[in-house]
Amino acid sequence: MPLDAAQAHYLSGVMRLRAGEAITVFNGRDGAWSARLDEAGKRGGIITALEQTGPQRDPPDLWLLFAPIKKARTDFIVEKATEMGAARILPVQTDHTNSERIRQDRLHAHAVEAAEQCGGTFVPELTDLAPLSRLLDGWDSARRILWADEARVGAAQALAGLPRGPWAILIGPEGGFSAAERKRLSSLPFVTPVSLGPRILRADTAAVAALALWQAALGDWLDA
Ligand code: SAH
């Protein structure tokens, strides 16, 4: 199998592997495989996949919707969401979103690296930045939304009793949700507002906290 320049650089330049050495690889669909590095140069290389060494492990059907913030914090959210087992990551533009653009290739690279770091075999899909209102217009009501609502700060929250199945977590930007967004979200039957405790968290912390909360109550921490 051919390697692209970034993969070849990582293996030979960063990991200092030489031709003939063994590595573990994954493609996001077929589990973990042992492989041999046949060639690695500056612009590319070749590996041979030998045998499957571990099963494919997919996360639960959980999406993360978040409003992009400063570059490094957005990178952090994508990295942590991958580790925490989000299946799909959807950057959304909200009324108070501070960032107009995202670098999808860069975020994808962060997701791949995070999956490698935590021994995962799955890389979440990253969608293009889309307005939250448009996503809600076309939303499939079978997928519930766990809305991290800063107005509920300090309210008791209970996820017990909520059904398992397809969900999405929604995290707002540093400026929080607008009155119009709050009104709309409150009116949607598939949206459940939730508090993330007595302190206002930064959006990146809130994303990790909400993912942990969901995984523990409704996700794959239950089956671990
Ligand atoms: N500027 C806003 C806070 C925004 S925090 C204010 O002062 O009210 C960024 C996002 O993190 C919020 O939109 C929300 O989705 C989430 N968040 C942070 N702390 C939270 C909490 N205690 N409960 C629920 N959601 C929270």
Side-chain angles (χ1 to χ4, degrees):
M1 258 178 295
L3 298 174
D4 66 26
Q7 292 167 330
H9 170 75
Y10 181 73
L11 292 177
S12 65
V14 182
M15 299 302 290
R16 305 252 159 232
L17 293 175
R18 298 287 161 258
E21 289 193 86
I23 53 172
T24 297
V25 296
F26 65 96
N27 66 2
R29 291 181 306 275
D30 300 309
W33 283 67
S34 63
R36 186 184 59 235
L37 182 63
D38 293 323
E39 272 176 54
K42 278 224 152 45
R43 274 182 293 276
I46 296 175
I47 59 166
T48 302
L50 301 172
E51 60 175 345
Q52 188 171 354
T53 54
Q56 174 64 28
R57 284 189 216 282
D58 294 331
D61 190 359
L62 175 63
W63 296 1
L64 174 67
L65 277 63
F66 77 101
I69 39 181
K70 287 195 201 83
K71 211 172 61 177
R73 290 183 184 276
T74 297
D75 292 351
F76 177 94
I77 289 180
V78 169
E79 179 182 303
K80 299 308 163 203
T82 304
E83 290 178 45
M84 294 296 297
R88 199 162 185 240
I89 302 175
L90 302 89
V92 294
Q93 233 163 348
T94 65
D95 291 345
H96 297 159
T97 298
N98 349 48
S99 164
E100 301 300 314
R101 282 186 316 128
I102 51 156
R103 283 277 311 276
Q104 238 190 334
D105 52 343
R106 178 195 157 100
L107 292 179
H108 176 73
H110 276 283
V112 170
E113 204 171 299
E116 285 166 356
Q117 289 294 329
C118 69
T121 51
F122 179 88
V123 178
E125 182 199 347
L126 260 158
T127 62
D128 266 334
L129 187 63
L132 175 63
S133 57
R134 202 175 74 209
L135 280 178
L136 291 176
D137 287 343
W139 197 262
D140 171 4
S141 60
R143 179 177 301 279
R144 291 163 166 267
I145 296 179
L146 191 67
W147 168 30
D149 177 8
E150 68 273 6
R152 297 215 156 213
V153 60
Q157 63 80 15
L159 265 53
L162 292 173
R164 297 183 76 177
W167 277 89
I169 287 169
L170 172 61
I171 304 291
E174 280 162 20
F177 292 97
S178 70
E181 285 167 339
R182 167 154 289 110
K183 186 160 172 235
R184 177 154 191 212
L185 287 164
S186 304
S187 74
L188 295 170
F190 50 82
V191 173
T192 304
V194 73
S195 156
L196 298 175
R199 290 164 290 275
I200 293 277
L201 308 173
R202 296 187 78 133
D204 48 349
T205 317
V208 179
L211 286 159
L213 189 66
W214 187 92
Q215 287 288 24
L218 302 167
D220 62 11
W221 292 13
L222 284 177
D223 313 316

